[in-house]
Structure formats: C-alpha cells, structure tokens
Amino acid sequence: MKVSFPYMGTTVIYKKLLEQLGHDVIMPPIPSQKTINLGVKYSPEFACFPLKVIMGSYMEAIEKGAEVIITSGGHGPCRAGFYEQVHSRILKQEGHNVEFIVFNSMFRDFKNFYKNLMRIKADNSWIKVAKSLMLVYDMMKKLDVLEKEVQVIRAYEIKKGETTRIWENIQRIFDQANNKKQIREAFEKGKELLSKVRKHDVKPQNRLRVGIVGEIYVVMEPSINMKMEELLGSLGVEVERSQYLSQWVDYNVLPDFMNYTHEKEVLKKGEKYLPIEIGGHAKQTLGQIVDFSKRGFDGVVHLMPFGCLPELVSQSIIPRITEDLGIPVLTLSIDEQTGVANNLTRVEAFLDLIRGKHSKKIS
Amino acid sequence: MKIGIPQSLLYAYYFPFWKTYFEELGHEVVVTPMTTKGIIDRGVKASVPEICVPIKIYLGHVITLLEEVDYIFVPRFVSIRKGQFFCPKFMGLPDMVRYTFKGIEEKLISPMIKTNSDNIGNTFSDYKFMEKMFGISSQKNIKALEKANEVWLRFREYSKKGYTITEAMKIVLDGYGESSFSTNSDSNSSVTIGLIGYVYNIYDSFISMDILNRLREMGVKVKTFEMLEEDSLEKELQRMNNKTMFWTFSDKLLAAGYSFYNNPEVDGLIHVTAFGCGPDSMLGKLLDMDTVEYNKPFMTVRVDEHTGENHLQTRIEAFIDMLKRRKMNMKRGA
Ligand code: SF4
C-alpha cells in the first residue's frame, strides 16, 4: 500500500520503518507556505495550528499518490485522537479517498492497536517486524545523539550554515542504512563529519545555553517554527530541545515498569506549578523550564501553537517560575500569521537580555 | 466564614450544589454579580492575551471577590465521565489562579473533581480535605454533601422539564413556584431551536447577550443540552462510539447537537461559541458539516467582549424568519 504520515522532525525514521516492512512510502513534502495555505483553507478557522499544517501535509501527500495515512492518536485530554476525526471528515468531504490508520496507546485499546499493527505488518514475519522495530529504534537513538551535538556545534561554527548542511547530509546517510552495521557506520561517519566543523574558540564561561520547550509539533518541526534552533545557533547560542523522538518513544511506548525516562523526572519538577497532567505538553513545559533552570541554562524559548489550550495554561504560570527561579522565558505563539520579522526582533531582544544577565553572573 | 463563588464557568451547572454544601457547613456564600464590563476588563488585564473569553471573565470574577471574602472556591474539574476530561483550562484553573494573583494561595478552596457522572456529590473523598480545612467531622461533611446532592438533583429535574437554568435555580434555591415561569412546554411556538453552547456562555448574559430569552421573546421554543435526559445524550455518544471528543461538555454538546438533528420537532440549530474556544472549533465544524445530511439549518454565533447587540438581534431574526418560511413551504409541499 502507498502510505504516508504527518511531517514532523526527523522523518527519515518513519520512512525507514515502513520501507523495512515493504510498504511504498510517499514522503510528505517539507511543510512550506503552500502546505500552510492549503491547511488553513480547509481547516476550521480556530483549530490549532498543527492541525492545519498537518491537514495541508496530508493533501500534498495525497496529491503525490498516498492512499493510507498512518498517524498516532496521542492520549492526552487535549488534541488527542481527535485530529484524525476532523482530518478524515474534511478530506472525505473534499473528495479524497484515503484511509487512516491511527495508533492509539496499546495499553488503552489493545484490540484496535493489534488490528492496526496487522495492517502494517502485512506479510512480514513477526521476527522481521521485531527486527525492523529494533533497527529503527537504534537509528532514532543514534540520530538524536548526533542532533544534540549539532545543536551545540552550530553556535560556534566559523562558516555559517556548515553544521546544518552536514546534519542534512547525515540524515541522508542514515536514509541509506538498512542494517545494524550500516547504521553504526552512518553514526561513525556522522561523528567524523561533525568533528571536522571548524569552530570559534569560545571560553566556557562565555557560552550561552538556551532550552526550547512547548507543544511537540511546533517544537519538533523547524519548517514551521522559524527554524528556531538554527536561528539561535546562528546567533551564537547552544540549544537543547525538550523533546527528541527517541525520548518520546521511550516515554509513550515503553510500559510503565521499564520507563525510567528523564521525562518522568522532569514531570516531577513541574509538579509544584501544575500538579496534574492537563493534556498536550503543558506539564512537561513547566517541568522542563524548572529543569533547564536547575541545569544552569541561561534562558528558555517557549513555543506554542496559537491558541493551544494546555500551553495557554503553562503560559499563564510561567511568569511565576521566572520570578521564583530567575530564568528568563520567551513565549512565542506560532500560527499562519506569525510574522518572522516581528518574532526575530523579539528573539534578538531576548538574547540581549540573557547575555546581559550572563555577563553579570560571571563578573 | 465568607466563601466566595465566581458567577462564571460551571457556576450555572453546579451552583445549587455548592451553595447548599457550604451553607450546610455553616458558612456564608458570597457570589459575584453577573458579568459586567468592569469584571471583564479586570479579567482581560490579568490574563495572557490569547486565552479564551470565558477564562478571562472568570479571572475577572476572582479579582472581584478577592478583597471581600475569606475563601474563594475554585474547583479543579478533571473528569466527570470515564475516559473523558475537561478542557485543559479547567484542569489547570486553580494553578492559573494561584500563580496569577499573589497571596491568593491561602484563600483557595480547590477540590479535585474526578467522578464518573455529572453528579459530583457522589464521591465523598473529593471533599475529605474540607474536614481538616474547616475542622469539621466526617459525619457533618457527609451530611452536607448529601443535602447538597439532593438539591442539585432537584435542580437538574427542573432543567429537564424545560426551565432555563436561571429559572431552575430560582425554584430550588429561592422558593419560586413552578408556575412563576412559563416554560417551553406551554408555549405554542411556531419554531423550535436547538441551542448549543456551554452553560457559561449561554447563561452569561454579557457573553451571549441573553440569546435564550431573546429567542423566547420571538416566540421560539428553545431546547438546550441540559434540558435533555442524560440517557439520551449517552445514547448519542454510544452511537458515535470512538468518535467523541474527550472533553466532557463538548461531547455533551455534540451529542445534544445530533439529538437535535434527529429530533423532528427541532427546526434548526444555533451554536453559540466564545472567541478563542479550541474545542468548539472542532465541535462546530463537525455539526456544520452535517447540516446537509440532516437537512436542518445550522448557525454559528461567535461572541467576544466586543460583539454588538444589534448585529446579533438582526442575525437571529433573519435565521428564525428563514426557519418559519421553510416550515411553511415544507407543510405546503406535503
Ligand atoms: S495541545 Fe494545543 S495544539 Fe494541541 S490540540 Fe491541544 S490546543 Fe491544540
């Protein structure tokens, strides 16, 4: 079957898994202005921004021949599996014949999960499925390690844009890897390439570190968040995201008893400010800010889709965290009208602020 | 003690319960006046700009109470139906309040509401903490809850008889007779409208500009979700099986919407939604897409703090006229 999926972050992973199982993968194009326009045109006006962009992505994938769309349902009280509801209804209304396979947590509805799994499994043996999953998981972990390195090096590169180009190259190399050995080689190659980036020598006490937190889609998808990581990097700042794909998998897919993820710790740290999960990533957002602050980061950029319900709750609480812990936080809400110029000014002003604070701290 | 209750959000659905409960415990209950321009302005100032109008209004009510009372009641609504939740903003409401207003912490009473039915009085454990807070015995607490429950259930019965929430409250709390209000049942109106909207929008006359009574004044019979039997809503939800929205009140409205679509007595649907409501954008879209299938007109009224009254009146009138003409034509056609 010709399958596609929503575009988010390092998509080579999803592609690889489906290819391993012998499916015909239609890559959704990287979200562009066209994607956004399409999405905005066909989505409810006040729907959240990720819903709109994904809507556009689906339409482009269908244009390219996708027949089946695979997506996750999520399990929070917000957004949750409901996106698919709206997406599939609207696509049908627009005359597109496409089928959705929605993966909700297997702990909630195993029967459905199993049914979906069987579809994806197709004629492969279970051993093959297990192997492919392991392979992709391994790949995901390794890519995340490299990406974290990218986010640090970028701040100090001498030739602007070099690190990003290498990172794109690394993803292509991984795309070619089809077994354990090749993945290891890709990883080594990636490390080597990154080590060759020529860097400015910046004294440790002069380094600035900024964390990025917020709703998963706008955090993970550079094409709709003004390429925030690249932007901060190019302004000389080390970056770390609150979310990485492998973390997400560890936290959401592994059963509780083997789930010793950092994310659990982080959630605890935010508890003072928000004692319960309220959907989306609100609780993570607050926990991550506390965590970044405790780890000595200089500031945090908080990204949220315009009107995002849980993130509005976190946004309301953030000023108090700043007051309590002294960590500056810049909230940017993102939608189809996000003026890049306007937000750019805000980011620059924010960096001036934390630079000032930083130099006071060390002097 | 003086306990303040904001006349906002779920006030319209649960006030009879809350009032009875606190009074049974021997406290005085202070309620904010109905939303005014002043209350809204205060709320807007205290909120993050993008948040929905109902939350802004709620914060305005909280500020209004701040100076006047010993405690402010801000419950944390998490879930009143298995597998469903409240909109995230309800779940984080006490935290938003606590971290927005300095020094309010000691004043907050915030039970966490997690039950499996609308009847929030049936899990005593949610209110256990009040015993320590007010130094009362479990026995007294339970008795107060039982009494509150009883009053609330009576209140719900009146809703189901077709009284508006305002009327039902007056009957159970202020001793008005049933005959003081002409309910829907005895009007010989020409058109029936299914009015879909959260209680805090429909019954906040500042937000909805009293659309319910406006409709009645035009001789229209109005049905709202809280006038329907829970079973029938439940049945609609079952029919949709997995296709519900996870948010309790949004689901109730969705179910009510479909039950209105399926009810031959209902001539058209009006959806009242406050600016910035995320769940409503989905809810409205789904119902709107089905207007063709059920062959019933559907109208959205989106309100915010600036909506003009005349504009609304004109739109409703036009909609009702259209429904009347339509009905005539259908009769003639038959
Ligand atoms: S988490 Fe935010 S972006 Fe997501 S559905 Fe909820 S409101 Fe929308």
Side-chain angles (χ1 to χ4, degrees):
Chain A
M1 52 189 181
K2 288 192 168 158
V3 296
S4 193
F5 41 78
Y7 200 101
M8 183 179 89
T10 359
T11 36
V12 21
I13 301 284
Y14 327 121
K15 173 165 175 271
K16 181 75 11 179
L17 178 60
L18 292 164
E19 274 178 0
Q20 283 273 324
L21 298 175
H23 298 295
D24 213 347
V25 179
I26 308 280
M27 275 304 270
I30 299 175
S32 61
Q33 196 54 44
K34 180 181 163 229
T35 320
I36 295 176
N37 293 347
L38 265 176
V40 168
K41 179 159 174 213
Y42 291 105
S43 308
E45 186 185 351
F46 290 92
C48 27
F49 188 54
L51 183 143
K52 296 181 184 174
V53 183
I54 294 173
M55 182 87 226
S57 282
Y58 286 162
M59 290 186 146
E60 289 183 315
I62 293 169
E63 225 168 81
K64 287 175 69 183
E67 294 160 350
V68 174
I69 285 167
I70 300 175
T71 179
S72 71
H75 51 109
C78 198
R79 172 157 68 166
F82 199 65
Y83 267 27
E84 177 264 328
Q85 273 289 95
V86 174
H87 284 138
S88 59
R89 280 287 315 261
I90 296 175
L91 286 170
K92 206 163 117 207
Q93 185 176 281
E94 294 304 319
H96 298 298
N97 208 351
V98 21
E99 189 200 341
F100 272 82
I101 297 184
V102 186
F103 278 93
N104 287 303
S105 165
M106 63 172 150
F107 307 108
R108 281 235 169 159
D109 182 356
F110 188 74
K111 229 172 80 198
N112 200 26
F113 183 85
Y114 186 76
K115 204 180 89 209
N116 288 339
L117 194 61
M118 291 308 281
R119 292 285 316 273
I120 309 254
K121 172 179 173 280
D123 301 332
N124 299 287
S125 69
W126 284 111
I127 297 190
K128 171 77 184 164
V129 174
K131 266 196 174 154
S132 310
L133 281 172
M134 293 300 284
L135 193 78
V136 170
Y137 182 68
D138 183 36
M139 191 159 151
M140 197 158 27
K141 283 257 173 218
K142 294 209 159 74
L143 273 169
D144 283 348
V145 169
L146 294 176
E147 188 172 19
K148 285 192 180 174
E149 215 166 298
V150 165
Q151 291 163 320
V152 173
I153 297 176
R154 201 187 265 130
Y156 311 113
E157 64 188 7
I158 289 176
K159 219 164 99 215
K160 284 286 169 218
E162 186 182 5
T163 323
T164 303
R165 266 195 306 283
I166 290 178
W167 173 229
E168 278 158 11
N169 194 11
I170 291 174
Q171 294 182 57
R172 271 195 296 274
I173 297 172
F174 270 85
D175 194 18
Q176 301 304 320
N178 285 308
N179 56 43
K180 235 182 142 65
K181 180 161 166 273
Q182 287 168 352
I183 288 180
R184 201 169 46 235
E185 282 164 8
F187 183 61
E188 295 306 328
K189 181 80 195 162
K191 279 209 331 218
E192 187 198 318
L193 286 174
L194 286 175
S195 69
K196 287 202 184 124
V197 178
R198 287 198 309 127
K199 299 186 294 265
H200 292 291
D201 191 23
V202 178
K203 288 201 197 81
Q205 67 267 31
N206 290 337
R207 299 188 168 190
L208 283 183
R209 290 190 300 163
V210 165
I212 299 185
V213 303
E215 190 271 345
I216 186 164
Y217 189 77
V218 288
V219 167
M220 297 274 281
E221 185 39 49
S223 65
I224 61 163
N225 69 16
M226 315 165 48
K227 302 198 170 148
M228 189 52 68
E229 291 160 39
E230 272 177 68
L231 174 64
L232 292 170
S234 73
L235 295 169
V237 176
E238 289 181 30
V239 175
E240 188 177 315
R241 281 201 311 263
S242 56
Q243 320 251 4
Y244 292 87
L245 215 47
S246 63
Q247 264 170 14
W248 187 88
V249 169
D250 288 350
Y251 180 69
N252 286 283
V253 182
L254 297 183
D256 252 355
F257 67 90
M258 46 189 289
N259 197 337
Y260 303 116
T261 48
H262 180 61
E263 191 144 356
K264 289 226 145 159
E265 299 274 299
V266 166
L267 280 175
K268 248 186 243 129
K269 291 191 182 163
E271 229 136 67
K272 177 177 165 212
Y273 297 98
L274 192 61
I276 63 163
E277 292 249 22
I278 63 164
H281 293 84
K283 196 174 173 194
Q284 277 95 331
T285 293
L286 298 179
Q288 293 284 1
I289 295 175
V290 175
D291 186 56
F292 278 131
S293 161
K294 298 251 146 95
R295 286 167 56 206
F297 275 61
D298 299 286
V300 173
V301 172
H302 171 219
L303 299 174
M304 61 182 264
F306 182 86
C308 171
L309 310 169
E311 294 301 342
L312 280 168
V313 175
S314 32
Q315 195 197 356
S316 311
I317 297 172
I318 284 172
R320 183 61 73 88
I321 301 187
T322 298
E323 201 183 314
D324 289 353
L325 304 176
I327 184 146
V329 180
L330 171 70
T331 295
L332 294 175
S333 107
I334 301 199
D335 71 354
E336 58 266 30
Q337 271 134 28
T338 304
V340 171
N342 179 34
N343 274 344
L344 188 62
T345 323
R346 294 188 56 202
V347 171
E348 278 165 344
F350 180 70
L351 291 185
D352 283 346
L353 171 91
I354 64 176
R355 259 199 197 102
K357 263 194 138 174
H358 187 95
S359 49
K360 253 198 226 125
K361 205 160 62 184
I362 53 174
S363 60
Chain B
M1 294 286 177
K2 270 193 193 167
I3 303 204
I5 298 185
Q7 185 167 170
S8 184
L9 294 184
L10 290 178
Y11 163 90
Y13 205 63
Y14 285 120
F15 180 65
F17 180 94
W18 297 334
K19 178 178 157 78
T20 313
Y21 177 59
F22 286 119
E23 286 183 351
E24 284 298 304
L25 294 181
H27 300 300
E28 183 190 341
V29 171
V30 179
V31 181
T32 44
M34 291 189 87
T35 307
T36 58
K37 184 82 178 62
I39 291 181
I40 292 191
D41 289 345
R42 263 168 260 162
V44 168
K45 240 189 250 152
S47 325
V48 291
E50 273 169 39
I51 212 153
C52 59
V53 175
I55 297 284
K56 288 182 178 163
I57 291 182
Y58 188 86
L59 294 182
H61 281 269
V62 170
I63 305 175
T64 307
L65 281 168
L66 218 46
E67 298 296 309
E68 256 186 74
V69 294
D70 305 300
Y71 289 96
I72 298 182
F73 185 63
V74 184
R76 183 194 298 281
F77 274 92
V78 175
S79 173
I80 56 171
R81 187 176 187 271
K82 196 163 169 267
Q84 283 188 344
F85 296 93
F86 275 81
C87 165
K89 288 177 249 180
F90 281 90
M91 294 198 265
L93 193 61
D95 310 301
M96 272 196 275
V97 169
R98 171 167 41 227
Y99 293 111
T100 304
F101 306 109
K102 273 251 157 96
I104 199 173
E105 188 137 8
E106 309 81 59
K107 284 191 170 190
L108 281 185
I109 306 179
S110 300
M112 169 133 99
I113 311 292
K114 248 179 158 172
T115 64
N116 47 24
S117 82
D118 286 29
N119 191 342
I120 55 168
N122 63 8
T123 46
F124 294 150
S125 56
D126 290 349
Y127 307 88
K128 189 91 191 137
F129 73 97
M130 304 263 193
E131 291 160 22
K132 219 169 123 205
M133 192 161 182
F134 291 118
I136 49 167
S137 67
S138 293
Q139 213 184 0
K140 187 162 180 188
N141 196 20
I142 289 175
K143 249 181 95 191
L145 284 166
E146 279 170 354
K147 181 78 199 292
N149 222 354
E150 187 195 307
V151 173
W152 184 74
L153 287 171
R154 274 208 301 131
F155 158 75
R156 291 290 296 130
E157 284 312 310
Y158 283 109
S159 282
K160 289 176 203 163
K161 282 188 191 167
Y163 290 97
T164 67
I165 275 180
T166 327
E167 292 162 352
M169 272 193 202
K170 284 191 175 149
I171 295 172
V172 297
L173 297 178
D174 306 330
Y176 279 73
E178 285 182 45
S179 54
S180 328
F181 310 102
S182 59
T183 62
N184 277 316
S185 46
D186 47 44
S187 72
N188 41 7
S189 30
S190 49
V191 178
T192 302
I193 289 279
L195 183 63
I196 301 164
Y198 302 112
V199 289
Y200 45 87
N201 291 333
I202 301 279
Y203 291 101
D204 187 321
S205 50
F206 205 94
I207 301 190
S208 74
M209 288 169 280
D210 215 8
I211 188 167
L212 204 164
N213 286 320
R214 256 170 221 263
L215 285 166
R216 279 183 166 188
E217 273 158 28
M218 292 179 209
V220 171
K221 186 167 167 179
V222 184
K223 286 180 183 294
T224 56
F225 87 89
E226 78 277 1
M227 294 177 189
L228 302 177
E229 288 293 335
E230 263 114 48
D231 300 355
S232 73
L233 291 181
E234 192 60 32
K235 235 191 280 152
E236 288 294 336
L237 287 179
Q238 295 299 338
R239 257 179 6 95
M240 289 182 256
N241 68 61
N242 264 325
K243 310 283 185 185
T244 57
M245 293 203 297
F246 303 95
W247 301 299
T248 300
F249 276 90
S250 310
D251 273 341
K252 280 183 190 294
L253 295 187
L254 192 66
Y258 284 107
S259 121
F260 295 146
Y261 269 142
N262 284 317
N263 182 347
E265 208 193 306
V266 174
D267 301 298
L269 277 60
I270 296 181
H271 179 209
V272 178
T273 171
F275 194 86
C277 175
D280 263 6
S281 68
M282 314 269 185
L283 166 76
K285 180 79 185 177
L286 286 175
L287 288 172
D288 193 19
M289 281 195 284
D290 278 323
T291 164
V292 184
E293 191 176 321
Y294 290 91
N295 189 25
K296 254 179 213 181
F298 176 90
M299 175 169 96
T300 305
V301 173
R302 179 169 293 117
V303 284
D304 64 12
E305 60 266 47
H306 317 293
T307 314
E309 248 173 76
N310 292 337
H311 177 64
L312 181 79
Q313 183 73 20
T314 323
R315 280 193 64 204
I316 306 179
E317 276 168 13
F319 189 67
I320 302 299
D321 283 345
M322 186 266 286
L323 290 182
K324 282 185 185 157
R325 277 197 308 275
R326 210 168 164 264
K327 216 170 169 179
M328 290 288 280
N329 290 341
M330 286 209 293
K331 268 198 196 133
R332 259 190 236 132

